[in-house]
Amino acid sequence: MNKRDEAVEYGPLGPGHEPVKDPMKGIRGVMAGTLVMEAITIALVLTVILRVDEGAYWTTFNWMYVSGLALAMFIAAFLQRHSWSMSLNVALQVLALGGFLVHPSMGIVAIIFILVWLYLLYLRSNLVARMKRGLLTTQHM
């Protein structure tokens, strides 16, 4: 028996209708804001690789990788309305994890933001499940 074949357990008010306001718009805004904060944090790694060990980490590859990743994250923040944006977000997190090649501090920052993204994915899946069950307030107005 597939998950699709199982009956959805609705809330006490029933399935309701389409929400008046799009609840996914809010979660997309949070994701866009998170990407902007992450882009700023990644860009600050440039000061780390310039100053630590008298600039030993300031190589062409390192500063281009950090700058390109920060720019890509900033641009991706404005693309969150597209259906493929979640795949892009995951790909950017994988690239950020590659920051261990640049400097350990960038890798640690990447791990922290990956944990934030895991929480955002949990919130998003919870919102979708609540919408399917008709538990959102705006579905019953």
Side-chain angles (χ1 to χ4, degrees), residues 85-132:
S85 66
M86 192 52 68
S87 301
L88 176 63
N89 296 342
V90 171
L92 288 172
Q93 298 315 304
V94 170
L95 289 174
L97 199 54
F100 275 112
L101 299 173
V102 174
H103 192 268
S105 63
M106 184 173 169
I108 292 168
V109 166
I111 289 173
I112 291 169
F113 273 102
I114 286 171
L115 293 173
V116 170
W117 278 100
L118 288 173
Y119 182 63
L120 287 175
L121 288 174
Y122 165 75
L123 290 177
R124 184 177 181 271
S125 67
N126 188 12
L127 180 64
V128 169
R130 289 173 49 93
M131 223 166 36
K132 283 181 184 175

Side-chain angles (χ1 to χ4, degrees), residues 19-137:
V20 177
K21 295 181 182 179
D22 182 16
M24 298 306 286
K25 189 175 183 180
I27 197 81
R28 286 193 305 262
V30 171
M31 290 180 183
T34 301
L35 274 173
V36 169
M37 287 189 302
E38 188 172 8
I40 292 168
T41 306
I42 294 294
L44 287 172
V45 170
L46 289 171
T47 60
V48 172
I49 62 175
L50 177 63
R51 297 185 184 269
V52 170
D53 292 336
E54 297 174 5
Y57 293 99
W58 188 261
T59 63
T60 304
F61 172 80
N62 285 355
W63 70 261
M64 287 184 71
Y65 185 82
V66 172
S67 300
L69 183 60
L71 182 63
M73 286 179 173
F74 187 75
I75 291 170
F78 296 96
L79 302 174
Q80 294 303 299
R81 68 179 174 270
H82 299 288
S83 61
W84 45 265
S85 66
M86 192 52 68
S87 301
L88 176 63
N89 296 342
V90 171
L92 288 172
Q93 298 315 304
V94 170
L95 289 174
L97 199 54
F100 275 112
L101 299 173
V102 174
H103 192 268
S105 63
M106 184 173 169
I108 292 168
V109 166
I111 289 173
I112 291 169
F113 273 102
I114 286 171
L115 293 173
V116 170
W117 278 100
L118 288 173
Y119 182 63
L120 287 175
L121 288 174
Y122 165 75
L123 290 177
R124 184 177 181 271
S125 67
N126 188 12
L127 180 64
V128 169
R130 289 173 49 93
M131 223 166 36
K132 283 181 184 175
R133 293 182 58 206
L135 296 175
L136 298 180
T137 306

